[in-house]
Amino acid sequence: MKFKRSLVALLLMSTLSACTFDGDDGNNGVAGANGVNGSDGNDGLNAPTSLSINLVGRSVLNAQAPEGAAEIVEFQKSKNWVYAINSSVSPAVIEIIDINNMETSALTADAEGVIGNTNLTPSITLNLSETANLSGDANSIAIDDNNELLAVAVSSSTAGVNGHIAFFDIAGATPSFIKNVVVGDLPDNVVFTHDGTKAIVANEGEPSKDYVIDPEGTISIININDSIPEDTATNLSFTSFNNEQAELESQGAKFSNPSGHTIKGSVRQYSVAQDLEPEYIAISKDNNFAYVSLQENNALAIVNLNDNSLTVKGLGFKDWSNYKIDVSDKDGGINFKNYQNLYGMYQPDTIASYQWQNSNFIVSANEGDGREYVVYEREALEDEGKLQCETDFPNGIYEWDDGEEICISYTDEARVKDLEDFGTISAELESYVSENGGKNGLGRLLVTNALGKDDNNEYTKLYAYGARSFTIWDSNGLVVFDSGDEIARITASIHGQAFNNDEDENEGDTRSDAKGAEPEALTIGQVGSQTYAFIGLERMGGILAYNITNPYNVKFVEYFYNRGLVEGADITGDLAPEGMKFIKAEDSPTNEALLVIGNEISGSVAVWQISEE
């Protein structure tokens, strides 16, 4: 499906990315021999002003129960195979899709312009339980084209029990299992360095549901020698930061846990190393650094891969008084305002790295994430169950949620209207909080209860989850560019009342009180001479393209999606982009750049072809 630009989209491109794209005239040719003038030089080429983007391939995995069937995707360039984790079946498998021959004409759109059929099917299913000792879930995959290796991050599904990386040789007709290498607790992301000499793993180390066990988050490094992974990983710990919480908090890092609370009869304490949760990894182009997002902590870890030294930087906060934001799902639609004393925690999920002027930069999709650990949930819970919850978790929460009573051992999420102990805040903020019982104003917004209190233990500032943006950072952890409120403005202009939709229903404005369109997936790729960032919106299902060739001169270029948005209708198309893989034109079976997207809710793998205009 070719993306058709609306007048609104064109106006957005001109206003958000205003600049001149005409190339310079060529210089006169040099004087020829014997006094004969050379011919005039050719005129300079115009710089690309937009991208042509078409949906050329689509596959739906486990169509009967597609949710979770296509989250993380990878690409093997020697065979033009796409790999996708399918966690909608138990145990999880990896589906391999051959994209050498995509019959684009087979894809047809419905009356809304949404493509719902497919032209690709898996040709190989890799059963992880038979080959890789899969006892938990498969969270991430990575492919190294240097050594023709596949790495699969496998969790134990038990807090406090380490997971492992399963390695496969993918040079042959089918993947061949090599070995398992034990890493840390809950390996959530695995990547290879660009030269294929190391596999790097982010071990998230989430606590158990009752928060009695909280493993340390760690980073694992597995060396690759002669195409064979070493048997033992090097695990990097954050214990050296246990005495640096105050310093990290001063940089804008966030720590939230039930330290000091009584849980199941004991007063619990948690360290910085336990609280830090590595989420996603980006490798610098020179292979010297691994950048690791610490999403819940609003921080970034940096590993020097030459000596395995580790640093942590808090990412600070976004001041929403400088931008407009819609904070309520109960205010009847689009309602952008500025708010004083309201801040956003960046809390990036996916990150990527690239170079400009031989310097490293990090690009982040600022999804945001809170902590809520539900011990059990049961319809019509008996009174003794409530009493047991109150006994085991006296500082916890027992509440109704969509008709179910649930026992929460710990949460740092709260609606502004439910916070207590407000200090001196602006009259404007107070009016927004109390407006219409808190429903129409800022009172509806979900914020953390772990930040914002002054020395009198009163809330004077509010901190929301995520920055509803993408950001470019330099290697010092400083903001070079942030998309501000553009994601909300663009999607509101394109979708109207359907903006801030959810990923599993068609009802507009439902995510305004949470994290908005929720930028989560991200990848970087070069099309022609330009470098682009592609940002996937988990809730809306759309993809934004920005020209980031010069990180100090970023331009919005395009927005595309394949999703139905008719109010109240069944969901259609591709929903909840979770993972992305960019394929360079020289590696593509179509000889044009491709963007492969794994969509979590629809269970679909979408292949978009991208060229310059």
Side-chain angles (χ1 to χ4, degrees):
M1 178 183 73
K2 180 174 177 58
F3 172 72
K4 297 179 179 177
R5 260 184 237 98
S6 67
L7 178 60
V8 173
L10 288 170
L11 288 171
L12 278 167
M13 289 169 61
S14 64
T15 56
L16 295 176
S17 311
C19 59
T20 301
F21 290 100
D22 292 334
D24 296 331
D25 290 339
N27 295 323
N28 290 336
V30 298
N34 300 321
V36 178
N37 290 332
S39 60
D40 288 346
N42 294 324
D43 288 348
L45 297 175
N46 290 340
T49 58
S50 64
L51 297 174
S52 175
I53 303 174
N54 300 277
L55 185 59
V56 296
R58 192 170 185 270
S59 179
V60 177
L61 309 179
N62 195 19
Q64 293 73 30
E67 184 172 347
E71 296 186 31
I72 308 302
V73 291
E74 261 289 359
F75 177 70
Q76 183 183 4
K77 69 179 183 180
S78 64
K79 297 178 180 177
N80 292 327
W81 286 359
V82 168
Y83 291 63
I85 295 178
N86 181 353
S87 295
S88 68
V89 295
S90 183
V93 299
I94 294 177
E95 307 284 10
I96 302 176
I97 304 167
D98 188 334
I99 64 168
N100 278 289
N101 299 296
M102 294 181 288
E103 292 294 336
T104 306
S105 60
L107 298 177
T108 56
D110 61 18
E112 198 180 349
V114 177
I115 292 176
N117 65 334
T118 63
N119 63 348
L120 296 170
T121 56
S123 54
I124 298 174
T125 297
L126 180 59
N127 191 326
L128 297 173
S129 63
E130 295 178 357
T131 58
N133 188 29
L134 180 69
S135 56
D137 200 2
N139 295 323
S140 177
I141 55 176
I143 285 177
D144 170 41
D145 291 307
N146 301 283
N147 299 299
E148 298 279 32
L149 289 176
L150 167 69
V152 185
V154 180
S155 70
S156 67
S157 291
T158 302
V161 178
N162 287 340
H164 63 266
I165 302 299
F167 288 96
F168 294 82
D169 181 345
I170 55 175
T174 58
S176 174
F177 178 65
I178 300 173
K179 65 172 68 171
N180 289 324
V181 179
V182 175
V183 288
D185 191 280
L186 187 57
D188 199 42
N189 183 230
V190 58
V191 302
F192 287 99
T193 53
H194 305 299
D195 58 7
T197 61
K198 295 179 174 71
I200 318 296
V201 188
N203 304 301
E204 192 166 8
E206 284 187 341
S208 57
K209 289 184 177 181
D210 59 9
Y211 231 117
V212 169
I213 300 172
D214 187 6
E216 291 185 0
T218 57
I219 298 168
S220 297
I221 301 173
I222 304 168
N223 292 322
I224 313 293
N225 298 314
D226 297 325
S227 301
I228 301 297
E230 290 187 350
D231 293 338
T232 304
T234 298
N235 293 316
L236 306 183
S237 168
F238 292 95
T239 54
S240 62
F241 297 93
N242 281 344
N243 296 322
E244 298 186 21
Q245 180 170 333
E247 170 61 24
L248 292 172
E249 287 177 335
S250 71
Q251 299 172 11
K254 165 180 166 282
F255 295 91
S256 59
N257 54 63
S259 281
H261 291 189
T262 298
I263 295 179
K264 292 187 172 180
S266 298
V267 177
R268 308 288 173 172
Q269 297 293 335
Y270 304 90
S271 67
V272 167
Q274 288 175 290
D275 201 83
L276 292 177
E277 295 184 0
E279 182 81 22
Y280 204 93
I281 305 166
I283 304 296
S284 64
K285 183 179 179 180
D286 55 18
N287 294 304
N288 287 329
F289 297 95
Y291 303 105
V292 185
S293 61
L294 306 170
Q295 184 176 20
E296 288 85 353
N297 308 102
N298 193 41
L300 181 74
I302 303 174
V303 182
N304 186 325
L305 294 175
N306 297 302
D307 59 11
N308 290 346
S309 58
L310 181 62
T311 58
V312 177
K313 295 179 181 292
L315 293 178
F317 307 106
K318 179 173 182 172
D319 188 346
W320 275 110
S321 68
N322 297 322
Y323 306 100
K324 293 186 180 296
I325 181 174
D326 188 328
V327 296
S328 175
D329 59 336
K330 302 292 185 182
D331 57 5
I334 302 169
N335 189 17
F336 289 114
K337 292 181 181 179
N338 298 95
Y339 296 91
Q340 301 293 324
N341 300 313
L342 174 63
Y343 299 87
M345 299 174 286
Y346 291 96
Q347 296 188 304
D349 186 338
T350 308
I351 59 174
S353 179
Y354 77 116
Q355 283 192 337
W356 178 72
Q357 302 285 30
N358 295 318
S359 296
N360 294 319
F361 292 84
I362 304 102
V363 187
S364 66
N366 305 318
E367 178 196 21
D369 197 9
R371 283 180 171 158
E372 182 172 274
Y373 287 87
V374 178
V375 185
Y376 53 77
E377 50 187 300
R378 189 187 315 161
E379 290 185 5
L381 198 63
E382 300 295 336
D383 289 341
E384 56 266 26
K386 179 177 180 179
L387 291 174
Q388 186 65 49
C389 177
E390 292 173 342
T391 300
D392 288 344
F393 313 101
N395 298 104
I397 298 174
Y398 178 83
E399 63 180 26
W400 286 93
D401 182 27
D402 296 331
E404 291 189 352
E405 289 177 309
I406 61 177
C407 180
I408 300 176
S409 60
Y410 176 76
T411 183
D412 65 5
E413 296 181 0
R415 294 199 186 278
V416 173
K417 66 183 180 66
D418 295 327
L419 292 175
E420 298 178 353
D421 303 319
F422 274 102
T424 303
I425 53 179
S426 68
E428 179 190 30
L429 185 59
E430 288 181 340
S431 67
Y432 284 139
V433 170
S434 60
E435 185 179 353
N436 194 27
K439 288 186 177 181
N440 284 7
L442 197 61
R444 186 68 185 166
L445 182 66
L446 280 170
V447 296
T448 180
N449 58 25
L451 296 174
K453 287 189 173 183
D454 62 9
D455 293 338
N456 296 320
N457 205 34
E458 296 178 329
Y459 288 102
T460 57
K461 297 178 180 179
L462 303 173
Y463 292 86
Y465 297 100
R468 307 191 185 196
S469 64
F470 87 97
T471 304
I472 301 178
W473 313 80
D474 69 12
S475 58
N476 304 305
L478 300 176
V479 174
V480 174
F481 168 85
D482 185 81
S483 62
D485 53 13
E486 285 185 10
I487 290 178
R489 288 167 51 205
I490 291 167
T491 53
S493 295
I494 300 297
H495 299 303
Q497 296 299 313
F499 104 117
N500 278 355
N501 224 301
D502 215 335
E503 83 272 48
D504 56 1
E505 63 179 343
N506 288 322
E507 184 179 353
D509 200 31
T510 54
R511 296 299 300 175
S512 293
D513 61 322
K515 293 174 283 185
E518 214 156 309
E520 178 177 19
L522 181 143
T523 192
I524 294 174
Q526 186 167 317
V527 183
S529 63
Q530 306 296 298
T531 301
Y532 295 89
F534 300 92
I535 303 98
L537 308 179
E538 181 181 12
R539 302 294 179 167
M540 280 302 313
I543 314 296
L544 297 120
Y546 277 78
N547 188 324
I548 63 168
T549 306
N550 181 340
Y552 289 92
N553 188 24
V554 175
K555 304 176 183 70
F556 167 65
V557 177
E558 206 62 278
Y559 175 70
F560 56 100
Y561 62 97
N562 179 49
R563 177 203 170 148
L565 286 165
V566 174
E567 183 85 8
D570 291 340
I571 54 175
T572 56
D574 299 317
L575 301 107
E578 178 82 11
M580 290 182 176
K581 180 67 177 180
F582 182 87
I583 302 171
K584 297 184 293 186
E586 55 264 38
D587 297 332
S588 165
T590 68
N591 297 316
E592 298 280 4
L594 299 174
L595 180 65
V596 182
I597 302 174
N599 298 283
E600 179 182 7
I601 295 299
S602 55
S604 56
V605 175
V607 183
W608 295 83
Q609 183 169 279
I610 303 170
S611 59
E612 289 183 330
E613 287 187 348

